[in-house]
Amino acid sequence: QQQVRQSPQSLTVWEGETAILNCSYENSAFDYFPWYQQFPGEGPALLISILSVSDKKEDGRFTIFFNKREKKLSLHIADSQPGDSATYFCAANSGGSNAKLTFGKGTKLSVKS
Amino acid sequence: EAAVTQSPRNKVAVTGGKVTLSCNQTNNHNNMYWYRQDTGHGLRLIHYSYGAGSTEKGDIPDGYKASRPSQENFSLILELATPSQTSVYFCASGDAAGQDTQYFGPGTRLLVL
């Protein structure tokens, strides 16, 4: 049972465009949603995160939009750069101490110049 | 300076052999995790630990053991390695308080022949 789903599996955009990566979840108890960025040959690293009490979180060119009612969220990468080419993982947990993260399968983003 | 390190970075093992993957963290985090990453599966949790002396089964623990002898060190042990365990393994440490942001190591690429 996959509790966190991501789409698309892969995405190619041109430099300067906005890339939109989608994520949905099943567990209504999830209330914390981090996005991790992974470059080839490296471990994932936290990029940006949102709590379910918010519907939007911005950090520079990266924005999370969150819809609690539909159990969906999306990561928007504005003015995409070739250096943004990476795999992005959506994750979720239900908060509290010692709550484990559940990861999606990832979206591989390629930004062409 | 890297806070989560893994050794070895690459390993070739024979079927039926014993493999030990090591992880060290200097974040002073209570929680540590072992994941494997395979194409099409994303990150899957094998074992985790809440502190020295504790180990817990994750989502795919079969064929793996874990050991947490100290706050800093967490090992993953394959007693009888099989080709199906060929993968990239990531260790992570996490702050148990709040949303448990996880910090990943660089990964170990394991090939079982």
Side-chain angles (χ1 to χ4, degrees):
Chain A
Q1 180 187 6
Q2 187 183 352
Q3 294 200 59
V4 177
R5 288 188 169 86
Q6 291 187 246
S7 65
Q9 279 188 296
S10 62
L11 176 66
T12 299
V13 299
W14 290 100
E15 183 174 358
E17 291 184 334
T18 296
I20 300 175
L21 290 65
N22 300 303
C23 180
S24 64
Y25 62 98
E26 298 175 1
N27 189 341
S28 298
F30 286 157
D31 63 0
Y32 170 63
F33 303 88
W35 286 82
Y36 283 79
Q37 180 187 55
Q38 183 182 30
F39 295 108
E42 300 181 8
L46 179 66
L47 178 65
I48 186 173
S49 63
I50 192 168
L51 293 170
S52 61
V53 294
S54 301
D55 55 15
K56 183 180 177 182
K57 176 78 173 289
E58 286 183 87
D59 186 355
R61 296 185 294 109
F62 301 91
T63 302
I64 299 174
F65 292 93
F66 179 71
N67 185 321
K68 187 172 184 176
R69 182 180 60 83
E70 295 187 7
K71 297 181 186 174
K72 292 182 178 179
L73 58 159
S74 59
L75 174 67
H76 291 226
I77 305 175
D79 187 26
S80 295
Q81 301 297 309
D84 297 329
S85 297
T87 298
Y88 293 81
F89 292 98
C90 174
N93 76 7
S94 54
S97 61
N98 299 327
K100 297 184 278 103
L101 283 174
T102 299
F103 285 87
K105 293 185 178 182
T107 293
K108 185 175 182 179
L109 174 67
S110 297
V111 181
K112 292 191 173 183
S113 58
Chain B
E1 197 167 328
V4 180
T5 56
Q6 295 182 231
S7 63
R9 292 295 313 278
N10 294 280
K11 173 75 176 179
V12 179
V14 296
T15 297
K18 182 177 180 178
V19 177
T20 300
L21 306 183
S22 300
C23 178
N24 177 276
Q25 57 107 354
T26 58
N27 296 318
N28 197 32
H29 287 157
N30 287 332
N31 292 0
M32 295 187 75
Y33 307 84
W34 276 107
Y35 295 90
R36 62 178 285 176
Q37 184 174 35
D38 304 284
T39 302
H41 289 280
L43 290 159
R44 292 184 289 175
L45 182 64
I46 305 170
H47 283 288
Y48 59 102
S49 168
Y50 292 135
S54 97
T55 60
E56 306 288 339
K57 293 181 179 180
D59 299 321
I60 54 164
D62 293 346
Y64 302 93
K65 291 183 179 179
S67 174
R68 181 85 181 272
S70 65
Q71 177 83 339
E72 297 79 19
N73 296 295
F74 190 35
S75 297
L76 186 68
I77 303 150
L78 291 66
E79 295 278 4
L80 295 170
T82 68
S84 65
Q85 294 175 313
T86 292
S87 186
V88 181
Y89 292 85
F90 288 99
C91 174
S93 73
D95 181 356
Q99 282 74 38
D100 191 29
T101 297
Q102 294 187 18
Y103 299 85
F104 285 80
T108 294
R109 188 173 297 273
L110 174 65
L111 173 62
V112 183
L113 299 174

